[in-house]
Amino acid sequence: NMIKKSRYIDKLRENHLFQEDTSDCGPYVIAMSLNAVLHNMFSGVEISKDMNALHWWFIVPVIMRIPSWATFPWGITWYVRRHGMQSTWRILATRKSLIESIGKPHLQIVLVGGYKPLWAHYKILVAYDELTDKLGFIDPGSRLPNIIWQKSEVFYNEWRHFGQLRVIIKDPSA
């Protein structure tokens, strides 16, 4: 079987959080990621409240998210760095880099979405099945901590809408 899996699948499943009917996927993927790697008990609700506030970088105000609605990728990296972990974000990531990074000691958060109607959603990429050409995700939009499989063609189309955005969180112990 040609399934490439992240070393964090089990920890992410154990630490899965369901965002319910909120628009807090960003804070929830942060909480799941930090809990999986740092073995803490971060709450998606608390992170959401914290990120809703205006933060400062020296004398410059920094907006991490539009309160209770949309989380910016720099908001995710900023929050993660505040807790002692390295994190970066970039647009125009490649399919190849996504698949190759599944086996590396870091978590990959991707942003998918569409325009009609306008929607966006963060989820954590954890697996790729070469045989079926499906990608596997741990998703705060799912009630259950199962791997959610999606045809790569559908994923890549949704991922392209927001510039092929990827956030990487590095495991400090690796």
Side-chain angles (χ1 to χ4, degrees):
N1 200 355
M2 295 299 299
I3 298 180
K4 190 170 194 171
K5 291 183 181 176
S6 164
R7 65 183 75 184
Y8 305 100
I9 285 180
D10 294 336
K11 284 283 174 206
L12 286 165
R13 289 186 68 195
E14 285 168 27
N15 289 284
H16 178 267
L17 298 168
F18 175 46
Q19 72 185 69
E20 301 189 27
D21 61 352
T22 69
S23 294
D24 292 342
C25 55
Y28 275 74
V29 295
I30 294 169
M32 290 190 291
S33 299
L34 292 177
N35 293 343
V37 177
L38 299 178
H39 316 292
N40 288 345
M41 284 313 303
F42 286 91
S43 147
V45 173
E46 291 305 310
I47 292 175
S48 175
K49 285 180 189 167
D50 192 11
M51 291 183 83
N52 280 346
L54 184 63
H55 293 273
W56 295 86
W57 184 67
F58 299 103
I59 59 166
V60 180
V62 181
I63 298 167
M64 300 299 147
R65 69 189 302 239
I66 297 168
S68 304
W69 187 58
T71 303
F72 298 113
W74 55 86
I76 295 175
T77 59
W78 172 85
Y79 199 91
V80 167
R81 287 175 184 162
R82 242 181 61 188
H83 291 89
M85 293 174 68
Q86 286 186 322
S87 182
T88 57
W89 68 275
R90 64 170 295 196
I91 56 168
L92 302 179
T94 64
R95 296 176 188 209
K96 186 179 179 217
S97 69
L98 278 187
I99 305 298
E100 284 175 356
S101 292
I102 290 171
K104 294 185 179 168
H106 53 244
L107 296 151
Q108 291 189 95
I109 296 166
V110 292
L111 180 66
V112 294
Y115 297 117
K116 290 180 181 179
L118 180 63
W119 66 278
H121 186 64
Y122 286 106
K123 53 191 181 178
I124 305 167
L125 177 62
V126 295
Y128 175 64
D129 185 339
E130 249 181 87
L131 214 56
T132 62
D133 194 29
K134 288 184 179 179
L135 294 150
F137 301 91
I138 299 296
D139 190 339
S142 170
R143 290 182 181 279
L144 301 171
N146 302 341
I147 296 172
I148 307 300
W149 293 96
Q150 186 176 30
K151 275 253 171 244
S152 71
E153 183 185 332
V154 175
F155 165 74
Y156 290 126
N157 189 43
E158 293 177 349
W159 188 47
R160 203 170 37 246
H161 287 140
F162 288 98
Q164 293 164 224
L165 178 80
R166 169 173 74 167
V167 177
I168 287 181
I169 298 173
K170 295 191 175 169
D171 185 341
S173 66

